[in-house]
Amino acid sequence: MNIDLSTLKLGKLAEEKTFPAEDGVAVIVPYDNAALSTAGEYTLPLKVTAVAKTDSTNIRLYFARGEVILNWECMPSELRIHDILTGEARGFPETGEVPVNEFAEIVWIVGRDKLELYVNGELRHAGSDYAYIRQLAAQPDKIFRAPIQIGSAWGSTVTVKALTVEEI
């Protein structure tokens, strides 16, 4: 489902700013853990496709307690992934950098038995050693339901050109 960018809601912090950009919707988050959010909630398995760019660091996607960070402010070349069940963060060296001021297509597949991340068609991460996957194996009827969020952090500006969410 293509998300109408005008329906994205501003997230948690009053200091966040959102404004129309010539090529999408831009968001600036001066701190951490806030973003633009879909109005609806989604369940696993799902595929999130975002076309976004950053002026410096921190393109962030969120689902439940999970998070993907590209161009992380502490180490832009490291991909950061947080588990959707526990929020536990992991770093993957040399897989997180995206060009600054250029749109990238980011595909995040949160499956029941594997998590994958692609940037511009290139597989950056595929893994199955996540707490949420172990939980689903033990409790197949477990449902994760949450909105999808996208944003920046620590003062970067992220411009979102498109956002698509598919329950697969």
Side-chain angles (χ1 to χ4, degrees):
M1 156 185 272
N2 287 328
I3 305 298
D4 178 352
L5 298 179
S6 69
T7 66
L8 294 175
K9 301 182 297 185
L10 204 49
K12 306 170 195 168
L13 298 174
E15 296 89 358
E16 289 178 89
K17 297 176 184 165
T18 182
F19 52 91
E22 182 177 309
D23 45 11
V25 174
V27 61
I28 302 171
V29 179
Y31 303 108
D32 201 2
N33 297 324
L36 294 171
S37 178
T38 60
E41 293 186 334
Y42 300 90
T43 59
L44 297 185
L46 59 85
K47 177 181 177 182
V48 178
T49 304
V51 178
K53 68 180 178 179
T54 180
D55 69 341
S56 56
T57 60
N58 289 297
I59 297 176
R60 295 182 177 214
L61 294 166
Y62 303 88
F63 175 75
R65 295 185 68 192
E67 179 177 5
V68 168
I69 306 172
L70 295 160
N71 281 26
W72 182 41
E73 78 277 356
C74 293
M75 190 178 303
S77 65
E78 182 174 289
L79 172 64
R80 301 290 290 180
I81 297 179
H82 297 227
D83 188 277
I84 70 166
L85 174 66
T86 65
E88 173 191 2
R90 292 188 187 170
F92 301 94
E94 306 307 320
T95 57
E97 195 163 9
V98 295
V100 171
N101 293 318
E102 292 180 23
F103 280 105
E105 180 186 66
I106 303 156
V107 178
W108 183 22
I109 300 171
V110 187
R112 295 184 65 83
D113 58 2
K114 184 167 52 170
L115 182 144
E116 297 172 272
L117 184 79
Y118 297 84
V119 177
N120 294 329
E122 175 190 356
L123 178 64
R124 296 287 184 93
H125 175 75
S128 58
D129 185 22
Y130 288 94
Y132 90 89
I133 291 172
R134 291 189 295 277
Q135 175 93 27
L136 287 169
Q139 296 177 296
D141 294 337
K142 173 92 173 149
I143 295 175
F144 291 93
R145 182 182 313 275
I148 301 299
Q149 297 178 309
I150 186 168
S152 64
W154 300 106
S156 64
T157 300
V158 168
T159 303
V160 182
K161 187 175 192 175
L163 182 63
T164 304
V165 182
E166 298 175 61
E167 291 177 324
I168 52 178

